[in-house]
Amino acid sequence: MGAQKSIHAGKAKIDVNVDFTHKLCTSLMLNTFSSADNPLSLVIGSLCIKHPNLFGGSEKLDVSLDKGLYDSNILIAYRRPRQECRAHQSFVVQHSFSPEIGTHGIPLNNFSRSGSGGVNLSRLSVGMDLKEPVSSKWSSTSSIKFEHVRPFNDDGCSISRDCDGFALTYSGRPHDSMVVLKHESRFANANDRSCFHFNLQIEQGIPVLSKMIIFNRFKFAASKGIKLGPTLLLTRLTGGSIVGDMAPYQAFSIGGLGSVRGYGEGAVGSGRSCLVANSELTLPLNKVVEGAVFMDCGTDLRSGYLVPGNPALRQGKPGSGVGMGCGLRFKSQFGHFQLDYAINAFKQGTFYFGLSNLGS
């Protein structure tokens, strides 16, 4: 159940969305978290404030707040008007808080769910984005940002080590700081019979100060869709790797919705590298509902032991896994949603509910 409202105040626009839909499904998947007694802790939604002409020169200001049951994100973006043939500049301040389940979560029920490992991350970043003019099929964005990462326990206290005494940060201190250069390129091509998407992200840690992290991290995602009569076959391949300095929270986590279904978030593994493949066949049932069958598989490419502290080995994660199942896709004015049931290699089933993103 949700509500949406747009309010116009002069040239400013305020979009409000409050949603209670995910409460039941998220509780079933992450029931090891303790819910607070405050009723506001059960609210999932977003608040967005936009101003299209802040100083009278087409400057745009976006302020957004997204809140989940256990995570939150605040984003402030100031966008200057773009001159012809020049990159679009944006100044961004962002703060997020989320449980670090992917790396430090504890697999439960034959890896079908992940419980809290008692580690949460607070991330504060300040930087600038440069979005290049879009061609017919290609687009790219470059950015530089300063990022400050601080681990917390479930009681909100700053920590530097996990329950086994291993460091949670690269520096070994209660926080890490880094300056990161990032470039992202996107390609999209579609027609009536097929579609293809490709995305490549490259990040480089810059040693501005002596104790900052120096690393190179890349991630790619390629997806292909082919229409076979009324059905649509979607395949997706994602992967990545990181070299240089590394903190445990930078590991690639495998498992969960958007990765290998049938497993809890990060329950397959977490490593310096990863490779995940998804295949899904959808068939329209009516104008708003589609049926789907799918198979997912993923591996950490035997790189779990290269993560500092080797959390995957300590938690007994297998490092590779296969999941398969079926589901429904719903199209509505509020967006596209999916409901899936998947079985993992241990024949343990799990329900998933969320935004449909396969092939995006």
Side-chain angles (χ1 to χ4, degrees):
M1 181 177 63
Q4 290 181 318
K5 181 68 175 179
S6 295
I7 303 173
H8 293 270
K11 294 184 178 180
K13 180 183 179 182
I14 302 176
D15 296 325
V16 182
N17 172 33
V18 178
D19 189 0
F20 297 90
T21 306
H22 290 63
K23 172 56 183 173
L24 175 60
C25 298
T26 308
S27 297
L28 292 175
M29 294 176 60
L30 300 174
N31 63 354
T32 55
F33 285 89
S34 60
S35 298
D37 295 331
N38 185 355
L40 291 179
S41 66
L42 307 181
V43 176
I44 298 176
S46 61
L47 171 65
C48 182
I49 302 174
K50 299 182 179 181
H51 199 299
N53 193 22
L54 187 62
F55 299 118
S58 299
E59 302 90 348
K60 297 180 179 180
L61 177 66
D62 294 343
V63 180
S64 63
L65 168 64
D66 295 300
K67 180 186 177 300
L69 284 176
Y70 312 110
D71 58 353
S72 62
N73 183 70
I74 300 174
L75 177 66
I76 302 174
Y78 169 71
R79 297 177 172 87
R80 299 175 58 184
R82 185 184 67 193
Q83 298 180 2
E84 188 176 357
C85 300
R86 292 195 176 183
H88 193 137
Q89 298 180 3
S90 301
F91 299 92
V92 180
V93 178
Q94 185 174 12
H95 180 266
S96 64
F97 181 88
S98 60
E100 184 61 2
I101 305 173
T103 301
H104 296 284
I106 303 171
L108 302 172
N109 296 354
N110 288 329
F111 302 92
S112 65
R113 292 186 308 188
S114 293
S116 171
V119 179
N120 306 274
L121 287 184
S122 171
R123 294 177 180 262
L124 173 65
S125 64
V126 180
M128 180 178 67
D129 295 342
L130 297 175
K131 187 173 183 179
E132 300 294 336
V134 180
S135 65
S136 58
K137 298 177 181 179
W138 283 96
S139 62
S140 64
T141 303
S142 300
S143 65
I144 182 170
K145 65 179 179 180
F146 169 80
E147 188 169 357
H148 183 81
V149 182
R150 182 182 295 271
F152 287 86
N153 61 18
D154 291 338
D155 296 325
C157 298
S158 181
I159 55 177
S160 60
R161 298 186 177 274
D162 60 20
C163 59
D164 294 324
F166 289 90
L168 295 171
T169 60
Y170 169 76
S171 63
R173 298 179 298 173
H175 63 82
D176 278 336
S177 298
M178 64 195 85
V179 174
V180 181
L181 285 174
K182 180 180 178 181
H183 181 79
E184 180 175 3
S185 296
R186 296 171 293 274
F187 175 83
N189 186 23
N191 54 47
D192 294 336
R193 303 300 304 171
S194 66
C195 62
F196 177 75
H197 299 269
F198 179 77
N199 182 283
L200 176 65
Q201 299 178 11
I202 300 176
E203 294 179 306
Q204 178 67 57
I206 306 299
V208 176
L209 298 177
S210 59
K211 294 186 178 181
M212 287 187 172
I213 304 178
I214 309 172
F215 65 92
N216 182 274
R217 188 178 196 265
F218 82 91
K219 182 178 180 180
F220 73 89
S223 61
K224 176 73 173 181
I226 302 175
K227 282 193 174 182
L228 305 172
T231 66
L232 176 64
L233 176 63
L234 288 172
T235 59
R236 180 180 173 93
L237 183 67
T238 60
S241 186
I242 181 172
V243 295
D245 301 336
M246 181 184 183
Y249 54 79
Q250 293 179 301
F252 293 92
S253 62
I254 309 165
L257 183 64
S259 180
V260 181
R261 286 162 286 188
Y263 293 83
E265 183 179 350
V268 173
S270 54
R272 271 188 178 262
S273 304
C274 77
L275 193 64
V276 177
N278 312 95
S279 294
E280 180 169 300
L281 185 68
T282 59
L283 174 67
L285 302 179
N286 55 46
K287 292 183 178 180
V288 296
V289 181
E290 294 179 338
V293 293
F294 56 84
M295 175 180 287
D296 303 331
C297 57
T299 174
D300 64 4
L301 300 174
R302 298 184 178 181
S303 65
Y305 74 96
L306 297 175
V307 177
N310 201 349
L313 176 65
R314 288 187 282 121
Q315 295 152 6
K317 297 180 181 181
S320 61
V322 177
M324 60 183 67
C326 58
L328 296 173
R329 309 289 178 263
F330 303 90
K331 300 178 182 179
S332 72
Q333 59 180 339
F334 302 107
H336 295 187
F337 302 92
Q338 68 183 71
L339 177 63
D340 291 334
Y341 178 77
I343 297 177
N344 61 26
F346 301 92
K347 298 183 179 180
Q348 183 70 34
T350 306
F351 280 102
Y352 297 90
F353 176 77
L355 294 175
S356 180
N357 57 9
L358 188 62
S360 62

